Each structure stands twice: as C-alpha cells, then as structure tokens.
Amino acid sequence: MKKVILLIILSVVSFEILAQQSSSTQKEDENYIPNLAKEIGNIKLNLDTISENYYVISGEGVAGNIGVFVGENDVYLVDNQWSALVPRIKDIINSITDKPIGLIVNTHFHFDHSNGNVLFRKEGVPIIAHANARQRMTQRQVLRGFGSVVQKPYPAEVLPNLTFIDKIEYYDGEEVIELKYYPNAHTDGDVIVHFKQADIYYTGDVFVTYGIPVIDPDGGGDIYALIETIDFLISNSKETSKFIPGHGPVSTKKELIIFSKLLHSILTNVEESVNKDKDLVQTIAFTKSKISEDVGGIDKDQFITLVYEMVIKREN
C-alpha cells in the first residue's frame, strides 16, 4: 500500500513540476521559421472578392490573410505573408488589375504577416507599420505565444520605411483608409485598418476565427487589452460591417462576438481560480473544463498558462 501511495505522490509531483513550468522555459526554436520558409512556397493561395475592388488573399497553414484594395491609381495591401509567396501574390494581383502596388501595411511584426517585406521592400514598395512593430522587427524575438519560436531580426533594408504612432489616414478617391493603433492587444504594435467607405476592417491577428488565439506577451500582448480592443470594435462597428481576420474567412460582427465571449470566459475562469488561490495546475484543469472540446486554435494548456501569468502580474 505504501508503494502505491508513493507512486501516486511521485506522479502528482511530476505532473505539477511539468505543468507549472512557465512557458518562458520552453526550449527556443531557432529553426521553425527558416524551415517553414523553405516549405511554404507551394501552399494553396485563394483569392476571394469581398466587394468590387476589395479582396482577400488567403493561404493554407501559417500564412496570414492579405487584404487587397484596388484604388484609383494604386493597389493597397494589408500584410504580405511570406517572401517565398511574393511572386504568386503578385500574379494574383495582376489577374485583377494592372495597377502597381502603392503601399503595404504591416499590421504587426510577426513573420507570417510581414516576411513578404523581404522582397517587396527590395522592389521599392513603401511599407508602413506602427513604430513599435518596426522596432520589434529590428530585434530577435521569442514568440512564447507560439511555442517559443524565434523570429530573427530583419535586415535594415527590408524594414518598413514609414511609421506612425496613433492614427493615420490615406485618401483614395472616395475611400478613406484609416490605420489605427491598438496598444498591447496581440502585440504592442497592432494596427487595424478600416476602409471606411466600404466599412471593411482588417484586424490582423487581433481577431482570428480558428479558436484560441496567439497572444505574444514578450511582444507586448495582453489578454485584457485584447478583449478591450475586440469589445471596442463590436461597440463601434455596424451589423453590416465586414471583418478580415488575421487568419480565417471574412467575418461579421457575429463572429467577433463569439470570439469575445471565448476570451471573456477563459479570463473569467482563470481569475476565479487565481482568486481562490489555486495553483497553475489547478487553474489549467479548471479552465480547460469550461472550454468546449471542439474549440481549436493554440494549445489550451499553453494559452491558459500565459493568461495565468497575465492575471498574476495584474493582481500584483
């Protein structure tokens, strides 16, 4: 009987040690992005029309959506996926217009939305990003919200050549293109682009449809600010507004509300657990029990661990 009890104790202790390891102790993966870059060039790319002159280019796997607006004289892109896909992206754009690409917006610094800078900037295409996002691109980043993948600094010559701090607007014919900064949501450099005339929002990874999202805490991301941003969009958009998520199909306010409820539920359950002095293991178990099994996205244990850290930090 004593042996059984000892085995149980050892099993529990081993599980707690494993589960209570902070996500900051995960082994850094230097090879993930270079290896993926070699394989990404053959993924399927789709072009979907939202309305006349407004499109989205989507790819399979780890490739963010690209928003496309065909203006009076130029084409505007929101994000640009991977440099390995740039020739195919240009072919897709050439299939709908012969106008040149006049401006690219980086919604944030993450590789699956900004790696295309490597070719587009070398071709002289202007790229704009929030100042924080550009700064992040100059530094080595460890993306703990994505399994501690390492994103290496971009060469100086392919960094965004334009930045802003709070908000900037571009005017093209009747369209007003608003770039607005939302602090510390997915990262500390998130930009949401609103094509006001068409009432189409491109959210970057502030909003995704695959379930539990990536939040990059070391890149300035925080679940409290992310929820605040999503709820602001819900309150200030219309029932007819369209949303291009960072990943997933074109959506409506309905999908945004579903996403908000998921985030609120996870945060509430983690806060409840912390307020009852539960440890990380108990918090993970409790919070996971409240999440539907059909909810996909980022690993639940990993996400709850990050949220747990954010709640502890906030309460301290």
Side-chain angles (χ1 to χ4, degrees), residues 20-68:
Q20 291 196 26
Q21 283 183 333
S22 168
S23 54
S24 63
T25 66
Q26 292 178 347
K27 184 178 179 181
E28 296 177 2
D29 190 345
E30 296 270 1
N31 298 318
Y32 178 83
I33 295 176
N35 289 341
L36 187 56
K38 296 175 184 177
E39 302 169 358
I40 203 79
N42 294 322
I43 67 168
K44 183 179 180 181
L45 293 178
N46 299 304
L47 175 69
D48 294 306
T49 303
I50 305 173
S51 60
E52 186 178 2
N53 294 326
Y54 300 87
Y55 307 86
V56 59
I57 299 173
S58 58
E60 298 174 333
V62 189
N65 286 333
I66 299 176
V68 181

Side-chain angles (χ1 to χ4, degrees), residues 78-183:
V78 186
D79 287 339
N80 55 31
Q81 293 182 351
W82 292 83
S83 59
L85 295 171
V86 166
R88 293 174 59 199
I89 291 167
K90 291 164 65 176
D91 286 344
I92 290 173
I93 293 169
N94 289 336
S95 73
I96 57 176
T97 181
D98 58 1
K99 296 174 183 176
I101 299 171
L103 182 69
I104 296 174
V105 181
N106 287 155
T107 60
H108 60 295
F109 72 88
H110 287 163
F111 60 96
D112 55 323
H113 293 260
S114 64
N115 187 266
N117 290 9
V118 174
L119 284 188
F120 280 120
R121 275 300 299 135
K122 287 181 178 178
E123 294 175 357
V125 178
I127 299 179
I128 187 168
H130 187 267
N132 289 349
R134 186 187 190 280
Q135 181 62 26
R136 293 278 181 192
M137 292 181 201
T138 69
Q139 303 165 339
R140 181 180 185 272
Q141 302 291 329
V142 180
L143 312 182
R144 285 201 294 136
F146 197 72
S148 292
V149 166
V150 173
Q151 179 172 326
K152 296 177 181 178
Y154 284 132
E157 64 271 18
V158 304
L159 292 169
N161 61 317
L162 302 167
T163 62
F164 71 103
I165 299 299
D166 181 37
K167 185 176 77 170
I168 190 169
E169 292 182 336
Y170 290 91
Y171 299 85
D172 190 303
E174 295 183 357
E175 186 57 272
V176 180
I177 308 164
E178 179 190 77
L179 282 57
K180 188 173 180 181
Y181 172 54
Y182 290 84

